[in-house]
């Protein structure tokens, strides 16, 4: 295993939003390969709480109609912004693929919800890392729409599955972005 290659993909992963994607489609085999990494996230008691709703082709347009419709229905008239509505309508179709992210809780609730949320986060990062290796930008969009109960229903998730947002992906038509992080100096306490 190449330590440098693993580090490189972790450091290179970037949030790139759908408006910065090219028209180049993402092949189904690549989407499948990316999804496959999700199930290898660490998962306490092997609960495997991740659920995904994959939107490709015309499904992306339906997602845009849903998201913009949700925004309109849930925004007071005086706060409604046509620009935001238009963006929500067009964003999914601008992406190569959009993946609705879900967290399922088993009937017995064997694990605290925090653990199930964390493991889904790990599964999403697995997908983001392999997407990076494929040269794909990704964008995890959460917010009010992402967490709404109606969104989980729209994704086709059952009543025990919460929506945690959407992971968009696509080939960037821009320079690969650079980012910054603060030093760990005042964020790590070492006990020796
Ligand atoms: C759980 C989660 C939810 C996020 N939701 C949003 C969001 O709703 N809107 C947004 O602009 N970015 C969202 N992001 C992406 C962050 O803005 C992004 O990771 C951050 O700007 C750092 O950039 P990087 O991903 O390129 O390192 C989310 C990230 C995570 C982990």
């Amino acid at each position: 295993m190449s330590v440098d290659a693993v580090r490189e993909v972790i450091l290179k992963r970037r949030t790139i939003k759908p408006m910065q994607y090219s028209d180049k489609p993402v092949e189904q085999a690549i989407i499948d390969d990316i999804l496959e990494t999700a199930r290898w996230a660490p998962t306490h008691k092997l609960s495997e709480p991740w659920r995904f709703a994959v939107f490709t082709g015309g499904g992306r347009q339906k997602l845009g109609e849903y998201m913009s419709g949700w925004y309109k229905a849930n925004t007071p008239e005086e706060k409604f912004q046509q620009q935001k509505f238009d963006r929500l309508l067009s964003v999914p179709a601008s992406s190569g693929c959009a993946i609705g992210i879900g967290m399922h809780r088993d009937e017995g609730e064997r694990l605290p919800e925090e653990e199930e949320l964390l493991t889904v986060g790990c599964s999403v990062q697995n997908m983001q890392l392999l997407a990076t290796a494929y040269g794909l930008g990704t964008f995890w969009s959460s917010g009010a729409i992402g967490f709404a109960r109606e969104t989980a229903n729209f994704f086709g998730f059952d009543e025990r599955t919460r929506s945690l947002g959407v992971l968009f992906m696509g080939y960037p038509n821009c320079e690969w972005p650079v980012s910054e992080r603060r030093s760990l100096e005042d964020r790590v306490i070492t006990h020796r």
Side-chain angles (χ1 to χ4, degrees), residues 10 60 62 160 179 181:
I10 293 170
R60 295 169 307 163
K62 288 189 191 125
R160 299 201 57 83
S179 189
R181 290 295 191 270

Side-chain angles (χ1 to χ4, degrees), residues 12-46:
K12 197 176 169 198
R13 178 210 55 77
R14 284 282 73 77
T15 292
I16 305 176
K17 297 189 176 181
M19 292 315 184
Q20 294 173 292
Y21 297 159
S22 72
D23 292 338
K24 185 178 168 185
V26 182
E27 282 174 38
Q28 187 61 47
I30 290 179
I31 297 169
D32 292 343
D33 203 18
I34 288 170
L35 278 167
E36 170 65 17
T37 64
R39 70 189 178 104
W40 291 102
T43 162
H44 195 183
K45 294 187 193 281
L46 291 179

Side-chain angles (χ1 to χ4, degrees), residues 42-45 47 49 111-120:
T43 162
H44 195 183
K45 294 187 193 281
S47 65
L111 296 166
E113 189 168 32
E114 288 90 333
E115 293 199 22
E116 305 292 39
L117 291 167
L118 289 164
T119 190
V120 173

Side-chain angles (χ1 to χ4, degrees), residues 69-140:
W70 189 95
Y71 170 68
K72 192 166 194 175
N74 290 278
T75 307
E77 227 171 285
E78 66 278 11
K79 287 199 173 159
F80 179 84
Q81 297 167 44
Q82 187 62 41
Q83 214 182 351
K84 183 164 181 186
F85 177 90
D86 294 342
R87 182 162 44 84
L88 290 168
L89 181 62
S90 62
V91 149
S94 308
S95 57
C97 166
I99 301 177
I101 304 160
M103 185 277 294
H104 173 82
R105 294 215 75 202
D106 61 303
E107 290 283 344
E109 301 194 353
R110 289 183 303 155
L111 296 166
E113 189 168 32
E114 288 90 333
E115 293 199 22
E116 305 292 39
L117 291 167
L118 289 164
T119 190
V120 173
C122 293
S123 76
V124 173
Q125 184 165 26
N126 279 1
M127 293 196 288
Q128 291 183 298
L129 294 178
L130 196 68
T132 304
Y134 273 117
L136 290 159
T138 57
F139 168 42
W140 185 345

